[in-house]
Amino acid sequence: MDVVLDVLDTFVLDRVYASVLPGGNSTLDFDTSFLLNQHVGRYYPLQPSQWATASRWKRDDLPRQATSLLFITWLFGLAIYLIGSTIFYHTWWDKSLLQHPRFLKNQVRLEINQALFSIPIMAILTVPFFLTEIRGWSKLYDFASEAPFPAYNWLQYPLFVAFTDSGIYWIHRAEHHPLVYRWLHKRHHKWLVPTPFASFAFNPLDGWAQSLPYHVYPILFPLQKGAYLGLFVFVTLWTVLIHDADCLSHSAVINGPECHTLHHLYFNYNYGQFTTFWDRVGGTYRKARGDEFKTIKSQ
């Protein structure tokens, strides 16, 4: 995220902050110029903008960084949600489910409204983790040569998936406990027959809680920055995909739309995110027959 912030500061945010909160030093000396863009500079020699020091809020001021990260996270999450959900809804999602007896009136609009409410709050709750990364308190690294050992550049992907899959399973299952379900997770289960737009249609604290493993991993374990950004996009799109309700795979290992749709229908099964491993260990796995929707439609 530090590289992303360097780039956006240079092309967009420096000028915004200079306009909104002017009063800095408009002269950019050599020493200051050297310190700016040092994160992206490890990849590409990007010169700072002419407004880089023209605001009272300097680039490394905590309030400025927090504000920038809030809007970056908010807009990124919103874009991925709206674009990904729209594409999946109009390509793969089975439109016959609109006639399902458990499909709510105006459900798509209700899902979108809930997501639009939740995304900015989740962004606020996520900002502290990104600040941790930017200020060097994580184990993110820039280049493959900086990995603990060469093979780790490949191992980091399955390790990340395994760690987050485990964390989300137990967090998600805990959210179904009667003491917290009604006020925390029940809102997401309003969508018994979910569309892709249900992917972010939940209590914002619920969504944030299930995202914790993604942000905790680079604090505890090494992760290359490029891999981190790629995985962040992947898990966001995966969250949309598993609410597609259309079976893309009958794999007994992958927790895809088929498995997650059963979770929405029957509540106490298939808590996993990427695989069925922890559901099998925890005794909560339910295999889809493939005709669940047809059976319910005929009732």
Side-chain angles (χ1 to χ4, degrees):
M1 193 59 74
D2 51 6
V3 175
V4 173
L5 199 54
D6 274 356
V7 174
L8 290 178
D9 274 335
T10 299
F11 292 105
V12 180
L13 299 177
D14 283 340
R15 187 167 188 175
V16 171
Y17 286 114
S19 299
V20 176
L21 290 169
N25 182 5
S26 59
T27 302
L28 193 62
D29 57 45
F30 177 80
D31 292 336
T32 303
S33 178
F34 177 77
L35 292 174
L36 296 173
N37 289 353
Q38 58 181 313
H39 302 293
V40 70
R42 299 200 69 191
Y43 300 89
Y44 182 81
L46 180 65
Q47 291 299 313
S49 71
Q50 66 188 82
W51 302 281
T53 59
S55 172
R56 293 200 304 270
W57 267 9
K58 305 307 179 187
R59 280 196 183 184
D60 59 353
D61 286 352
L62 186 63
R64 170 170 167 167
Q65 289 182 333
T67 302
S68 299
L69 290 169
L70 169 59
F71 284 100
I72 292 170
T73 308
W74 183 356
L75 293 176
F76 173 81
L78 187 63
I80 292 292
Y81 167 70
L82 291 176
I83 295 171
S85 298
T86 300
I87 290 174
F88 290 145
Y89 178 80
H90 288 292
T91 55
W92 291 335
W93 196 72
D94 184 358
K95 298 299 189 302
S96 69
L97 295 175
L98 293 169
Q99 308 305 317
H100 195 286
R102 297 190 182 184
F103 194 84
L104 303 179
K105 182 180 180 180
N106 299 320
Q107 180 173 312
V108 171
R109 179 173 60 82
L110 293 171
E111 290 172 338
I112 293 174
N113 287 343
Q114 179 61 51
L116 294 181
F117 168 78
S118 298
I119 289 173
I121 298 175
M122 287 189 292
I124 293 172
L125 296 172
T126 303
V127 163
F129 290 103
F130 288 146
L131 285 173
T132 296
E133 297 164 9
I134 284 178
R135 292 182 170 258
W137 300 333
S138 73
K139 295 187 178 181
L140 291 171
Y141 60 92
D142 287 285
F143 301 109
S145 59
E146 299 171 351
F149 51 90
Y152 189 82
N153 289 300
W154 298 102
L155 287 174
Q156 64 183 332
Y157 296 100
L159 290 174
F160 178 89
V161 169
F163 179 88
T164 54
D165 196 42
S166 174
I168 292 172
Y169 173 84
W170 291 108
I171 291 171
H172 189 182
R173 187 167 179 178
E175 289 183 345
H176 278 256
H177 191 281
L179 291 177
V180 298
Y181 175 78
R182 182 176 296 275
W183 66 268
L184 180 62
H185 193 54
K186 184 178 180 180
R187 188 177 301 180
H188 187 58
H189 276 281
K190 179 179 182 179
W191 329 113
L192 295 176
V193 182
T195 77
F197 293 103
S199 55
F200 284 76
F202 37 43
N203 181 315
L205 187 59
D206 175 6
W208 174 79
Q210 293 196 55
S211 74
L212 284 175
Y214 304 138
H215 302 294
V216 169
Y217 184 90
I219 294 175
L220 299 178
F221 305 104
L223 187 63
Q224 197 268 331
K225 290 180 180 178
Y228 179 50
L229 288 175
L231 287 166
F232 193 73
V233 174
F234 164 72
V235 298
T236 304
L237 288 174
W238 184 265
T239 301
V240 176
L241 176 64
I242 61 175
H243 290 87
D244 188 75
D246 197 11
C247 178
L248 301 179
S249 171
H250 291 288
S251 172
V253 176
I254 298 174
N255 184 84
E258 185 177 58
C259 286
H260 196 72
T261 296
L262 289 186
H263 176 72
H264 276 260
L265 281 172
Y266 302 116
F267 298 97
N268 296 320
Y269 302 96
N270 301 348
Y271 297 101
Q273 182 77 350
F274 301 116
T275 74
T276 62
F277 175 80
W278 285 106
D279 279 300
R280 293 177 182 277
V281 171
T284 55
Y285 175 67
R286 177 165 179 162
K287 180 176 175 57
R289 300 191 309 269
D291 63 347
E292 280 82 359
F293 282 127
K294 294 179 181 178
T295 301
I296 295 173
K297 282 182 182 180
S298 65
Q299 293 177 352

